[in-house]
Structure formats: structure tokens, C-alpha cells
Amino acid sequence: MNLTGKRIGFGLTGSHCTYDQVFPQLEKLMELGAEVVPIVTYTVRTTDTKFGDAEDHMDKIASITGKDIITTMPEAEPLGPKMPLDCMVIAPLTGNSLSKLANALTDSPVLMAAKATMRNQKPVVVGVSTNDALGLNGVNLMRLMASKFIYFIPYSQDDPYLKPNSLVAKMELLPETVEAALEFKQLQPVIVPHQS
């Protein structure tokens, strides 16, 4: 796989427990030669959790990509007309951001970048991480599954018995999903078996 010359937006939303799975994939995209443009939601930029401090996450993202992080809507908007992306990744994609994306709500830099990318008829790759994907958010998940230009990192239930509505993407499949999406193909199988 070679992503040399590909300009890939990488948006992170507030599923902080998933960052340890996402950061290695961000590094992998860099190793594959991509130009990675980092974008974060306000939650990522400002919220400290038991999974780490916001400032440390921001420093790590900047260190991996070597770029300033897009943190505001005005900074993200030019990714449409002036500085287009070849592909936009959102990983992790929380249930909150999933529902907004599925219903055309644009209230964060990450969602603005996704909207700009779809406007340019380029692929958006999403890595779902939410406790309610098979609950109330199921309708939004299916809406995105059927949407043009949206491609899913294959996902599974992460804890079928204690959290039966929860889905998490297999983040290690992110690079392969991006490669397929650049050809407007969905990496298959998109629903993979749970592994305990």
C-alpha cells in the first residue's frame, strides 16, 4: 500500500478510550506517505479524562503529523474549495457526531471537514465507537451505511453481553479502508465477528 501524494484529513472526536487504538493508525498513514491534516472537535481539544489530558493528546497528534491542528470551523471550511482533501477520516466517530453527520448537522471542525469533503465528491472514512449504535442511534448508523461517499472501517460489537448496543471499529483496518475508499469501494466484510 502506498499513499504517497494523498492528502488525508484525520478527524478525531471525543471517544477518548479509543485513542490508543487510533494513534498507531495515524502513524501508519504517515509511514505510507500520506500528507495528514489533523482536525479535532472542541471536546478533544478541551476535555481531560481518565484516558489522558487534552493537551497531551493535542501534542501527540501534532507530533505525529508535523502539522498545526485544525480546531475551529473557519479553519476547516477551506478544506472544501481552497485546500481539498483526497479523503477524510473520522476515527473515532462518537455516537453524538455520528448522529449529527447522518442528519446534516455541522457544528464542529471535524464535521465541517467531512461536509467539505463530500461536497467535493471525495470519500469520508468513519471508524465508529459508540455505546448506542444498535440502540437509538441505529437509524443514523444505517443512514450513513447507505450514504454515498461514506465508507466504514469494519466494526463489531465490543462487548455483546455487557454492552449489547455498542459497536467499535477495528481501527487496525483503517489504512486498508482508506485505500479501498480512495477507489470508492467499501472494504469487506464491514461487519466482523466479535473477538473476546
Side-chain angles (χ1 to χ4, degrees), residues 41-146:
T41 61
Y42 305 120
T43 300
V44 176
R45 187 182 74 192
T46 61
T47 306
D48 298 336
T49 71
K50 66 181 180 179
F51 300 103
D53 292 344
E55 184 177 354
D56 292 337
H57 293 315
M58 296 291 285
D59 288 345
K60 185 166 183 84
I61 294 164
S63 173
I64 292 171
T65 63
K67 288 191 176 289
D68 292 334
I69 302 170
I70 292 174
T71 61
T72 69
M73 301 271 280
E75 290 171 346
E77 196 277 334
L79 296 175
K82 295 180 183 176
M83 299 182 294
L85 301 168
D86 293 302
C87 179
M88 173 72 190
V89 174
I90 308 176
L93 175 68
T94 61
N96 184 47
S97 291
L98 182 154
S99 66
K100 291 175 181 179
L101 181 60
N103 289 283
L105 299 175
T106 307
D107 68 350
S108 78
V110 170
L111 295 176
M112 174 63 80
K115 176 183 176 182
T117 303
M118 288 187 289
R119 180 174 71 179
N120 289 336
Q121 301 185 2
K122 298 292 185 178
V124 174
V125 168
V126 296
V128 65
S129 179
T130 174
N131 288 323
D132 72 334
L134 299 178
L136 287 176
N137 228 338
V139 65
N140 296 314
L141 177 75
M142 288 301 109
R143 181 173 285 153
L144 289 182
M145 289 284 297

